[in-house]
Amino acid sequence: MMGVLVFCVVVLAFISQGYSSQENGLLDAGGCVSRIKQQHILTNSQNFSMDLRMPGVVPTKSDNYLCMAFPVPTSRDAYIVDFIPHASMDKVHHMLLFGCQTPVSTSNYCVQGTCVDEASIMYAWARNAPPTKLPKDVGFKVGGNSGMSYFVLQIHYGDITAFRVWSTNCGSLCPPQRQPFIAGIYLLMSVDTVILPGKRVTNADIACDYTSYPIYPFAFRTHTHRLGKVVSGYRIRDGKWSLIGRQSPQLPQAFYPANKEVSVEYGDIVAARCVFTGEGRTSKTYIGGTSADEMCNFYIMYYMDSKHAIPYMNCMETGFKELFQHIPAEANVPITVSPDQMNSMMHMEHSVHIHKYKPSKMQRAKAELQVSAWPQSSLQLGQVSGLALDSDSNLVIFHRGDHRWGADSFNRQARYQQRSLGPIQQSTILVVDPAQGTILKASGRNMFYLPHGITTDKENNYWVTDVALHQVLKVSSDGTDRTLLVLGEAFIPGSDNDHFCQPTDVAVDTETGNIFVSDGYCNARILKFSADGKYLSQWGAGSSDRRRSLPFHIPHSLVFLPNRREVCVADRENGRIQCFVAKTGEFVKEIKKEEFGGEMFAITYSGLIFAVNGDSLHHSAPPRGFVISYSTKAILDTFSPSTKEFKMPHDIVETRDGSVFVGDVGSRLVFKFTPEKLHRSVKKAGIEVQELEGKAVGSLNLGNFFASHKGYSRQGFDQLSTEGSDQERNDEDSSDSENEEYSALPPPQSSS
């Protein structure tokens, strides 16, 4: 008779004294014990345990994936603090425990997928791995406001011929008090490795910038199938590689103790390498879900301060060759697994150690990083979509973290196609000291999908647009990430008064509090709302000659002119600036120059207009900055980096001291252009150009503008240069943003 595999998991604890796991009889040697005291324990806020079972499971074929959902048995905060797996690798290839809000199915076994929303991996087991014990005061948070209302247990059944008799396999997760630290999983995973038949060595390299709060790895786990020889994980900081963990994936795939001396902080790089061999194979081997395929996974189990806890993060970016030229030699040395070790695994009688490669004469290459004077700390940014200033003239950066706008991000109806990725887990809003480049505040985690524009009001609230959500949001800047006002319907594009279609930017009337929204990539209008979000009016492009009126073609950037009571827009694909009376929407003027090259991406205003164009498919004008007289429409000067070109300048702001910042969505950099502050009697001005990320960009001549404004003189420009701290990004990093910039959709049907 075909057997049944039962998997039980004993879970959870919450605020508690009382029953220890031993007192509750967690896992008696004979199998999964019942929990007759569970209701009593839960009611009295004691520690409690929970069995997760898959009764009646009969895999119909080898390499079967089955899963089952279980509700978290409390609506209050609870913490998982222990994992005790009981299973056998002759039947089970691996087991994964996920936490999520909405499982694929709550009544039957799920075959396709685990969770509707983003699934957080909480535990993984394979190859008769031993139990994993979390450090004291550390737990995985579930229930309450954790966003995890269900557990989903997924089992990959291996060889079906192993099911000859009834088998009971259990696992457990257990108890304590409210935890000051929350545990999480960071998964590095290769998705595109191809192992050639007969090739002795194939490396799968993964690396991502880390852009969140500090994490402290305490355990790691490796996972490949049969061709994997060694998997190593590292933190890279200032060019130095520090080992998190290294192991043979052919040994029990447990969570083993990580290097306790390694923490991961904002600005670090997390990297991993899997070493495979194609020997013995006669065809290509790809990454996939069957035992004949391969996988390359490096799991980091970490803890972090509960105030900033993120339960799950992942990295699937292929590491670039220049970085991995400096990987320690130990990562390339296979770990030999003896036949005795393989046999002991089958009987769960293993003794496993963390392998550290210590050759007597190993040369460790160090990346030569030259850090610029500004910023004084590295800023690891995603696509930089928006810039603003707060009331203290600090720089506010809005970026996309690990999300990218690519050709497949939207369908033809402008609906976002990558909701399964979930919101961006990194802090998308960074407040930066404009002088030193240090981060003062970070916020905006798990809120946005594809950030675009940002501005601030007089209360220092952020007004932002998200082109994936098709929404405008007013967000508090106090670090609580409170959403104070929402305009538009999430993920629903439209062209009526209640919907947007990929809105691009917001401007705020400093006197009335009214807001103006440029809408957008697939609409062609500016909308006006009251401070509390009431729709007031809208208008399209203007013209002094109505017979030759040209509609907006991606109104991309807005600025409010307080002294003139006007709103100006960068009409991107028409390569022009248009200004309107803020009260009525009446057209005032247009600025359009051949020097713009048919593109105008962003503008800001401080008595003069500062603007940036973009690279055009149809014009030869290079991307650069412009200083423009509002009154005469004359270009007073142009500026651009000297040694590193703009790729796709996307937004621009000017600070009180005259410094100009340009955010580049293509290179993921923020450029800083700084006129030196000199005494009025000194008739010299040096212009220095720096970057938040990247190499030196040398000097800048603002000539005519600084000769006649703000006490600057054209004479004596000194050539200054600073060396940057980050290596060049490869061209692939910017390709997605280029898809964004050259794809404007027709307006969708109204969503009334």
Side-chain angles (χ1 to χ4, degrees):
M1 181 181 69
M2 185 67 71
V4 177
L5 180 68
V6 180
F7 178 86
C8 344
V9 181
V10 185
V11 169
L12 286 274
F14 117 118
I15 312 188
S16 107
Q17 306 125 10
Y19 307 94
S20 68
S21 60
Q22 289 76 17
E23 290 168 337
N24 273 322
L26 293 183
L27 292 182
D28 132 21
C32 308
V33 298
S34 61
R35 295 291 176 267
I36 58 175
K37 293 184 179 181
Q38 179 170 324
Q39 183 62 44
H40 170 74
I41 294 169
L42 183 60
T43 303
N44 290 280
S45 298
Q46 304 287 344
N47 295 344
F48 67 91
S49 59
M50 175 185 172
D51 291 341
L52 303 188
R53 297 172 177 259
M54 266 196 190
V57 173
V58 181
T60 58
K61 59 182 180 179
S62 295
D63 285 318
N64 232 184
Y65 280 80
L66 293 176
C67 59
M68 193 168 184
F70 306 85
V72 175
T74 174
S75 59
R76 299 177 62 183
D77 290 344
Y79 302 86
I80 298 174
V81 297
D82 201 10
F83 299 90
I84 308 173
H86 284 252
S88 174
M89 65 179 284
D90 64 333
K91 300 180 181 67
V92 177
H93 181 274
H94 72 257
M95 299 183 291
L96 293 173
L97 183 67
F98 299 88
C100 64
Q101 188 75 35
T102 310
V104 169
S105 173
T106 58
S107 57
N108 301 310
Y109 296 117
C110 43
V111 179
Q112 297 294 330
T114 54
C115 298
V116 175
D117 56 331
E118 184 171 10
S120 297
I121 296 176
M122 307 179 75
Y123 185 64
W125 174 96
R127 303 189 72 82
N128 289 347
T132 296
K133 184 72 176 177
L134 275 65
K136 186 177 182 296
D137 297 328
V138 175
F140 284 89
K141 185 176 180 180
V142 297
N145 63 354
S146 68
M148 296 187 194
S149 302
Y150 280 85
F151 300 114
V152 179
L153 176 65
Q154 181 195 71
I155 299 180
H156 176 188
Y157 293 100
D159 186 358
I160 194 173
T161 61
F163 291 84
R164 300 287 183 190
V165 295
W166 185 281
S167 174
T168 301
N169 300 279
C170 310
S172 79
L173 321 164
C174 290
Q177 304 172 346
R178 187 175 302 277
Q179 303 299 304
F181 301 103
I182 300 299
I185 296 286
Y186 192 117
L187 170 60
L188 293 97
M189 177 172 61
S190 175
V191 296
D192 56 5
T193 298
V194 179
I195 303 166
L196 299 179
K199 186 175 181 181
R200 184 168 175 268
V201 175
T202 295
N203 295 327
D205 295 334
I206 314 116
C208 285
D209 297 331
Y210 185 75
T211 58
S212 190
Y213 292 92
I215 60 174
Y216 304 92
F218 61 87
F220 74 95
R221 173 181 180 264
T222 65
H223 179 70
T224 71
H225 294 169
R226 298 176 185 176
L227 303 184
K229 294 300 182 182
V230 61
V231 181
S232 309
Y234 295 89
R235 178 208 68 194
I236 308 172
R237 179 179 295 169
D238 298 330
K240 181 179 179 180
W241 293 66
S242 298
L243 181 70
I244 296 173
R246 174 175 176 268
Q247 186 59 282
S248 167
Q250 302 309 318
L251 289 169
Q253 293 179 4
F255 278 95
Y256 299 110
N259 184 350
K260 294 182 179 179
E261 298 177 358
V262 176
S263 63
V264 182
E265 300 175 358
Y266 192 102
D268 292 340
I269 298 175
V270 186
R273 166 171 283 181
C274 298
V275 177
F276 296 99
T277 180
E279 293 178 333
R281 290 290 173 98
T282 57
S283 60
K284 293 180 180 178
T285 304
Y286 299 90
I287 298 296
T290 75
S291 56
D293 297 318
E294 266 303 335
M295 287 186 174
C296 170
N297 296 353
F298 185 83
Y299 296 84
I300 302 171
M301 191 178 285
Y302 61 83
Y303 66 87
M304 64 194 306
D305 191 299
S306 60
K307 292 182 295 185
H308 309 302
I310 304 173
Y312 176 69
M313 293 181 270
N314 64 61
C315 169
M316 293 181 285
E317 295 186 16
T318 301
F320 47 95
K321 293 180 180 179
E322 292 82 359
L323 178 66
F324 278 83
Q325 286 176 353
H326 305 289
I327 192 170
E330 62 190 356
N332 302 313
V333 180
I335 296 174
T336 303
V337 180
S338 69
D340 290 341
Q341 286 176 304
M342 294 298 292
N343 290 334
S344 67
M345 284 193 299
M346 297 301 296
H347 296 90
M348 298 184 72
E349 296 174 353
H350 45 265
S351 175
V352 182
H353 306 279
I354 300 175
H355 293 257
K356 293 186 178 180
Y357 181 54
K358 297 181 179 179
S360 58
K361 295 182 179 180
M362 184 175 72
Q363 296 180 349
R364 294 180 175 271
K366 294 183 178 180
E368 296 182 1
L369 299 180
Q370 297 177 317
V371 184
S372 65
W374 192 94
Q376 292 185 356
S377 62
S378 176
L379 296 177
Q380 300 294 327
L381 302 173
Q383 293 180 337
V384 181
S385 61
L387 300 178
L389 299 175
D390 66 13
S391 58
D392 296 319
S393 202
N394 293 316
L395 179 66
V396 183
I397 301 172
F398 199 27
H399 73 109
R400 295 173 183 159
D402 58 3
H403 284 205
R404 287 169 177 74
W405 188 341
D408 55 352
S409 296
F410 295 88
N411 65 12
R412 291 183 177 274
Q413 289 72 46
R415 291 180 181 266
Y416 187 55
Q417 299 297 291
Q418 297 170 332
R419 291 179 62 177
S420 61
L421 296 176
I424 300 167
Q425 295 181 352
Q426 296 90 358
S427 297
T428 56
I429 301 175
L430 304 177
V431 180
V432 176
D433 182 334
Q436 306 298 328
T438 53
I439 299 175
L440 305 177
K441 287 194 297 185
S443 59
R445 291 188 296 112
N446 295 310
M447 297 181 71
F448 308 112
Y449 288 77
L450 277 181
H452 201 275
I454 186 169
T455 192
T456 57
D457 60 23
K458 57 186 178 183
E459 282 84 31
N460 254 0
N461 298 306
Y462 304 130
W463 289 87
V464 302
T465 66
D466 187 310
V467 291
L469 288 171
H470 302 288
Q471 286 182 315
V472 175
L473 301 95
K474 178 183 179 182
V475 180
S476 67
S477 63
D478 58 6
T480 62
D481 286 341
R482 287 178 298 128
T483 301
L484 306 177
L485 181 67
V486 178
L487 300 177
E489 185 177 357
F491 299 110
I492 306 297
S495 55
D496 57 24
N497 299 341
D498 299 317
H499 292 83
F500 305 102
C501 190
Q502 298 175 343
T504 54
D505 203 8
V506 180
V508 180
D509 186 325
T510 52
E511 183 177 304
T512 66
N514 290 339
I515 66 166
F516 304 86
V517 179
S518 49
D519 181 37
Y521 280 89
C522 37
N523 283 328
R525 58 183 180 170
I526 297 172
L527 295 95
K528 179 180 177 182
F529 298 85
S530 64
D532 59 2
K534 180 183 177 182
Y535 171 80
L536 298 176
S537 63
Q538 64 178 287
W539 62 85
S543 175
S544 56
D545 183 354
R546 293 186 178 180
R547 293 173 298 179
R548 301 179 59 186
S549 180
L550 189 65
F552 288 138
H553 192 184
I554 309 182
H556 197 256
S557 171
L558 284 178
V559 64
F560 180 75
L561 284 55
N563 61 329
R564 299 181 180 275
R565 310 295 303 160
E566 294 177 11
V567 175
C568 293
V569 58
D571 186 9
R572 205 188 77 180
E573 296 302 304
N574 284 324
R576 64 186 179 181
I577 300 167
Q578 288 201 332
C579 299
F580 304 85
V581 176
K583 184 175 182 179
T584 63
E586 179 184 354
F587 175 71
V588 177
K589 68 168 54 180
E590 175 178 295
I591 303 174
K592 185 169 184 175
K593 303 287 185 179
E594 289 185 6
E595 290 88 340
F596 297 165
E599 300 281 335
M600 178 51 61
F601 270 65
I603 54 174
T604 191
Y605 176 82
S606 60
L608 294 163
I609 295 174
F610 288 81
V612 285
N613 66 343
D615 197 11
S616 171
L617 292 177
H618 310 293
H619 301 84
S620 58
R624 52 185 169 171
F626 299 88
V627 184
I628 303 168
S629 167
Y630 173 89
S631 302
T632 66
K633 305 183 186 181
I635 296 175
L636 304 176
D637 216 328
T638 63
F639 56 95
S640 60
S642 298
T643 61
K644 187 169 186 177
E645 296 179 349
F646 285 138
K647 284 191 175 180
M648 191 170 294
H650 205 259
D651 206 357
I652 185 170
V653 292
E654 184 196 15
T655 59
R656 292 172 184 168
D657 67 356
S659 297
V660 176
F661 292 86
V662 177
D664 193 304
V665 77
S667 61
R668 300 193 296 183
L669 305 178
V670 176
F671 293 85
K672 179 182 180 181
F673 300 87
T674 308
E676 289 184 351
K677 280 191 168 183
L678 301 177
H679 192 276
R680 288 182 180 275
S681 63
V682 180
K683 299 299 183 181
K684 290 185 178 181
I687 305 303
E688 182 179 6
V689 184
Q690 301 170 324
E691 297 177 3
L692 280 173
E693 292 278 327
K695 295 186 176 180
V697 290
S699 64
L700 165 72
N701 182 352
L702 291 187
N704 297 333
F705 165 59
F706 290 114
S708 55
H709 294 82
K710 299 186 179 180
Y712 291 104
S713 167
R714 187 184 179 95
Q715 299 176 359
F717 279 83
D718 298 324
Q719 183 168 352
L720 304 176
S721 100
T722 56
E723 292 299 316
S725 62
D726 223 32
Q727 48 210 349
E728 296 275 344
R729 303 280 183 183
N730 60 38
D731 292 337
E732 293 176 359
D733 287 342
S734 63
S735 61
D736 287 342
S737 58
E738 290 169 0
N739 286 327
E740 163 203 347
E741 304 311 332
Y742 296 116
S743 55
L745 294 167
Q749 295 298 316
S750 177
S751 302
S752 57

